[in-house]
Amino acid sequence: MNVKINRNAAKALKKMLEAEDAQGKMFRVVVTNIHGDHAHYDLMLDTPTENDEVVKTDKDIDFILEKGDQYLDGVWIQYFQVPQEEWVITNPTMGGHHHHH
């Protein structure tokens, strides 16, 4: 499975991981809703279970994904500050629909 994040997202996520309540946890990408060929996504702090896969990124942040969920494989997490602060989570392999977080 694969997760891609942009530089701004990596910076923001690393900062969140430094918080006291994040100690020992990783970010989990979850599917919150499915519409036909695309899904809506969210991020949460969690710990992996036996049903999960820990996926490493090129930005030194590991993510938890539920094994075998086709909507999670290839997810792209982006954080933008202009024109406004927003998180955009997409999966280009599943229709490219995005979710503003």
Side-chain angles (χ1 to χ4, degrees):
M1 294 187 88
N2 187 11
V3 174
K4 205 166 110 176
I5 58 176
N6 72 359
R7 251 181 274 160
N8 286 338
K11 264 191 232 177
L13 293 170
K14 284 179 182 178
K15 193 171 185 177
M16 289 179 197
L17 287 171
E18 292 171 1
E20 194 174 316
D21 60 345
Q23 296 305 308
K25 295 188 178 181
M26 293 182 237
F27 284 102
R28 175 185 294 277
V29 182
V30 296
V31 174
T32 59
N33 205 339
I34 297 175
H35 296 282
D37 67 346
H38 67 271
H40 293 253
Y41 302 92
D42 204 353
L43 284 173
M44 61 176 20
L45 285 167
D46 203 0
T47 53
T49 69
E50 66 276 355
N51 298 323
D52 298 322
E53 183 175 333
V54 175
V55 178
K56 298 190 178 303
T57 67
D58 64 346
K59 306 281 191 298
D60 295 323
I61 297 177
D62 297 342
F63 288 89
I64 304 167
L65 302 180
E66 185 179 331
K67 288 179 186 172
D69 189 328
Q70 66 179 356
Y71 289 96
L72 294 174
D73 189 20
V75 75
W76 187 16
I77 301 166
Q78 301 172 84
Y79 177 66
F80 299 102
Q81 294 174 314
V82 177
Q84 68 209 23
E85 274 190 61
E86 69 177 332
W87 289 92
V88 178
I89 304 172
T90 60
N91 189 334
T93 66
M94 299 303 280
H97 183 82
H98 63 270
H99 169 63
H100 295 272
H101 179 74

